[in-house]
């Protein structure tokens, strides 16, 4: 290939955050959200309101700004977090990636956009399989860079197969554009001849999801310390809190440091970060509010307009972590207590949405949530309801995690249960953006309490209404409960904190 020809860079990814305890993710789930191949990828990437992962947009923007290049689209899949991926479909996707990547040769580089916490019904490290397959096809000399979610679980196979890994630094995730740009910047240094040193450490620490915020808390302190290690030699520091519910041998807070020179700089920085992180490990214990106390708080703000409104995070049923988005613990308790001025969203119940839409706007009926409960958590709940609004669920994210991304929640309805207004959707999605409620005609600013099916990304979407002091993380049962001792982990390395109260581990010294 002529040296002055535009560099050909392949773009691919298969993103999924897998919760081992959640229902299996299938091809149909990807087709409902994002599954694009070949020119479909470029059409979306350069079109308005793209559906692709935001970091790919950042990578593209940085590459466009530097010099001529030719993006070579392979395959990109993105789906809401769920259970293990059906392995047969994974093999089908892998075959398409292999064939398209092979047909695209020769290449100057490959960019992989994965989550990092995928499992399949037969594999604990499909991300590693993807990385290794890419390396096997393009050979040892072609630069390969990857971006990962900070909830990714990193394996040695992943590390050995790529030249650099760049992970998100913010939680809620609002820095994906920047991390995509970082990956492109590192790729250009690789083009210029950089021979990086990459240090990798995994700690016996599996933080509960609610302890991984980056605005404040132990993870924020570790992140800030990690970024303080950047200098002329250290080009990137990625600290991945991981995702406990994947339940894999590669679980554990991961530290990845990349330096420009192979002089030990990366290893020494990684060791310093590991020592600092381990000194914080006992802070990674969730602090949740019980359901009874939560109901009392909602009733109090409903009765006293001088009190600030509150937002209730149903962290144990977060679709962004594999939850079904349909448990009734909070809704049922608030309804029984006679709470008013409450908005609940978004409940995933396609059958109920269809029934309400068929009855029509203004209709009154007996709404049955979870008419056929999919699991023990998603119990049945009935209430008299009126259909207020019906929408197709198509929208563009307004703030935070989903900002600028075209979303489809499927057939959506707004039900009034008498003081409680509930948004019911048909495609499982976490309630991280106000637009999911606003598209139904709701005025969030007038609500006394809002209940969201989300673990943390709602904070970046709803912060214009609810500062941190008005957030209540509710302790109820569910597939994404932050109380990790409630789960039967079988593959995770043990002991790990906080599942195990006492863990004897000595951080490496220089």
């Amino acid at each position: 290939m002529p040296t002055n020809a535009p560099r050909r860079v392949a773009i691919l990814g298969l993103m999924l955050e897998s919760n081992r305890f959640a229902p299996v993710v299938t091809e149909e789930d990807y087709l409902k959200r994002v599954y694009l191949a070949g020119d479909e990828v470029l059409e979306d990437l350069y079109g308005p309101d793209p559906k692709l992962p935001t970091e790919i947009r950042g990578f593209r923007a940085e590459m466009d700004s530097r010099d001529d290049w030719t993006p070579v689209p392979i395959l990109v899949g993105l789906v809401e977090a769920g259970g293990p991926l059906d392995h047969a479909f994974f093999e089908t996707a892998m075959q398409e990636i292999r064939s398209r990547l092979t047909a695209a040769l020769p290449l100057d580089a490959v960019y992989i956009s994965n989550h990092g916490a995928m499992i399949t019904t037969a594999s604990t490290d499909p991300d590693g399989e993807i990385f290794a397959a890419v390396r096997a096809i393009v050979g040892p000399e072609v630069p390969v860079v990857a971006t990962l979610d900070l909830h990714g679980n990193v394996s040695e196979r992943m590390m050995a197969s790529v030249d650099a890994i760049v992970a998100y630094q913010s939680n809620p995730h609002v820095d994906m554009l920047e991390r995509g740009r970082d990956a492109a910047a590192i790729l250009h240094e690789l083009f210029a001849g950089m021979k990086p040193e990459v240090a990798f450490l995994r700690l016996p620490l599996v933080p509960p999801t609610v302890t991984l915020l980056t605005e404040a808390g132990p993870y924020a302190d570790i992140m800030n310390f990690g970024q303080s290690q950047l200098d002329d030699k250290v080009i990137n520091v990625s600290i991945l809190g991981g995702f406990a519910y994947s339940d894999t041998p590669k679980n554990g807070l991961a530290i990845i440091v990349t330096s420009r020179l192979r002089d030990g700089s990366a290893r020494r920085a990684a060791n310093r970060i590991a020592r600092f992180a381990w000194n914080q490990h006992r802070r990674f214990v969730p602090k949740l509010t019980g359901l009874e106390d939560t109901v009392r708080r909602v009733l109090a703000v409903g009765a006293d307009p001088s009190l600030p409104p509150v937002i209730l995070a149903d962290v144990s049923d977060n679709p962004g972590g594999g939850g079904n988005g349909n448990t009734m613990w909070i809704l049922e308790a608030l309804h029984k207590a006679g709470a008013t001025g409450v908005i609940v969203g978004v409940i995933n119940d396609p059958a109920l949405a269809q029934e309400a839409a068929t009855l029509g706007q203004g209709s009154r009926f007996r709404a049955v949530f979870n008419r056929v409960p999919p699991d023990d958590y998603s119990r049945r709940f009935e209430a008299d309801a009126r259909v207020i609004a019906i929408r197709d669920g198509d929208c563009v994210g307004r703030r935070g995690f989903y900002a600028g991304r075209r979303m489809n929640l499927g057939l959506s309805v707004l039900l009034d249960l008498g003081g409680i207004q509930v948004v019911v959707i048909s495609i499982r999605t976490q309630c991280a953006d106000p637009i999911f409620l606003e598209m139904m005609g709701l005025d969030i600013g007038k609500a006394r309490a809002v209940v969201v099916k989300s673990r943390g990304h709602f904070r970046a979407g709803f912060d214009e209404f609810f500062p941190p002091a008005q957030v209540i993380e509710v302790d109820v049962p569910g597939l994404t409960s932050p109380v990790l001792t409630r789960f039967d982990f079988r593959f995770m390395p043990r002991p790990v904190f906080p599942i195990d109260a006492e863990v004897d581990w000595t951080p490496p010294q220089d």
Side-chain angles (χ1 to χ4, degrees):
M1 185 179 299
T3 56
N4 60 348
R7 291 189 172 98
R8 290 169 45 80
V9 181
I11 298 174
L12 63 93
L14 193 64
M15 297 191 75
L16 170 63
E17 182 180 48
S18 290
N19 182 326
R20 184 175 296 280
F21 309 98
V24 171
V25 173
T26 66
E27 178 180 9
E28 181 182 1
D29 294 313
Y30 274 94
L31 295 177
K32 286 180 180 178
R33 185 56 60 86
V34 179
Y35 194 75
L36 304 174
D39 290 341
E40 294 174 331
V41 175
L42 291 187
E43 290 171 7
D44 186 86
L45 185 57
Y46 284 93
D49 307 327
K51 298 181 291 185
L52 288 171
T54 305
E55 49 267 44
I56 298 181
R57 290 158 47 197
F59 180 86
R60 183 220 74 197
E62 185 68 19
M63 295 295 292
D64 285 348
S65 72
R66 287 180 174 253
D67 52 25
D68 288 341
W69 72 299
T70 300
V72 181
I74 304 301
L75 181 148
V76 179
L78 169 66
V79 71
E80 191 75 48
L85 180 60
D86 173 62
H87 193 74
F89 173 63
F90 174 72
E91 289 291 353
T92 298
M94 281 294 294
Q95 182 55 43
E96 186 165 7
I97 289 172
R98 290 190 186 98
S99 61
R100 287 181 176 274
L101 193 62
T102 301
L105 296 175
L107 292 164
D108 293 290
V110 180
Y111 166 55
I112 305 172
S113 173
N114 268 29
H115 181 283
M118 186 196 316
I119 61 174
T120 77
T121 51
S123 172
T124 60
D125 189 23
D127 292 290
E129 293 184 40
I130 293 171
F131 285 23
V134 169
R135 177 57 73 196
I137 290 169
V138 302
E141 301 303 320
V142 174
V144 180
V145 297
T147 49
L148 297 177
D149 190 300
L150 60 76
H151 291 108
N153 299 315
V154 184
S155 69
E156 286 75 9
R157 190 179 194 185
M158 293 165 68
M159 294 299 306
S161 300
V162 300
D163 295 282
I165 288 177
V166 175
Y168 303 169
Q169 295 175 15
S170 72
N171 187 26
H173 306 328
V174 293
D175 66 331
M176 295 91 83
L177 277 171
E178 291 83 355
R179 302 295 77 81
R181 284 184 174 274
D182 287 351
I186 290 175
L187 180 58
H188 275 83
E189 293 209 32
L190 291 167
F191 285 152
M194 180 180 69
K195 303 295 183 183
E197 175 189 38
V198 182
F200 169 54
L201 289 171
R202 186 187 301 117
L203 279 60
L205 172 62
V206 178
T209 51
V210 295
T211 66
L212 287 173
L213 297 174
T214 53
E215 181 68 24
Y219 192 50
D221 292 344
I222 295 170
M223 279 290 202
N224 291 334
F225 182 81
Q227 295 310 302
S228 75
Q229 303 302 300
L230 296 173
D231 56 26
D232 291 342
K233 293 182 179 180
V234 175
I235 189 174
N236 184 265
V237 172
S238 292
I239 304 171
L240 298 90
F243 189 62
Y245 313 106
S246 296
D247 186 22
T248 72
K250 58 177 182 168
N251 274 98
L253 185 141
I255 298 167
I256 305 171
V257 179
T258 305
S259 65
R260 293 181 170 91
L261 300 174
R262 296 177 178 176
D263 63 353
S265 300
R267 176 181 54 79
R268 289 190 293 272
N271 289 349
R272 289 193 294 270
I273 297 167
R275 293 194 291 270
F276 182 91
W278 190 243
N279 285 338
Q280 316 300 316
H281 79 275
R282 291 196 176 277
R283 297 172 63 193
F284 285 94
V285 177
K287 298 177 181 178
L288 308 175
T289 301
L291 185 56
E292 290 186 6
D293 289 340
T294 298
V295 171
R296 280 195 289 268
R297 179 86 175 271
V298 172
L299 293 177
V301 301
D304 186 351
S306 69
L307 294 175
V310 293
I311 187 166
L312 280 55
D314 192 350
V315 295
S316 295
D317 187 31
N318 169 32
N324 288 322
N326 63 2
T327 62
M328 294 288 107
W329 308 97
I330 298 175
L331 174 56
E332 184 175 358
L334 292 176
H335 186 265
K336 182 178 180 180
T340 58
V342 178
I343 295 173
V344 177
V346 285
I347 303 296
N348 175 44
D349 195 328
L352 180 56
Q354 184 61 62
E355 179 185 8
T358 300
L359 290 171
Q361 187 170 333
S363 298
R364 297 180 182 273
F365 72 116
R366 186 69 174 174
V368 180
F369 294 83
N370 300 322
R371 188 179 294 274
V372 182
D375 57 42
D376 292 340
Y377 295 116
S378 307
R379 66 186 187 184
R380 183 182 175 118
F381 168 63
E382 299 183 22
D384 292 330
R386 183 164 63 96
V387 182
I388 303 299
I390 304 168
R391 300 287 186 272
D392 64 5
D394 186 68
C395 60
V396 176
R398 187 169 73 78
R399 289 177 58 80
F401 183 58
Y402 292 125
R405 280 172 54 187
R406 181 158 294 282
M407 301 294 296
N408 181 16
L409 279 59
L411 179 63
S412 304
V413 299
L414 174 62
L415 304 180
D416 185 351
L417 273 56
I420 301 177
Q421 294 184 302
V422 183
V423 177
V424 182
I425 63 172
S426 300
I427 298 178
R428 188 175 56 89
T429 308
Q430 69 167 307
C431 191
D433 197 305
I435 196 67
F436 298 167
L437 308 180
E438 293 166 343
M439 71 178 183
M440 307 305 297
L442 290 167
D443 187 342
I444 298 170
K446 292 182 178 179
R448 299 305 296 152
V450 174
V451 182
V452 290
K453 294 285 188 179
S454 179
R455 181 270 314 157
H457 290 320
F458 73 92
R459 291 174 180 264
F462 289 81
D463 58 344
E464 62 182 348
F465 304 105
F466 305 98
Q470 292 165 231
V471 174
I472 301 174
E473 295 173 332
V474 187
D475 185 10
V476 290
L479 287 169
T480 62
S481 170
V483 184
L484 299 182
T485 52
R486 294 174 180 169
F487 296 87
D488 180 21
F489 294 108
R490 294 178 294 153
F491 302 99
M492 189 180 295
R494 304 290 288 271
V496 291
F497 189 86
I499 299 172
D500 302 295
E502 298 299 328
V503 179
D504 184 17
W505 186 74
T506 302
Q509 304 297 314
D510 291 337

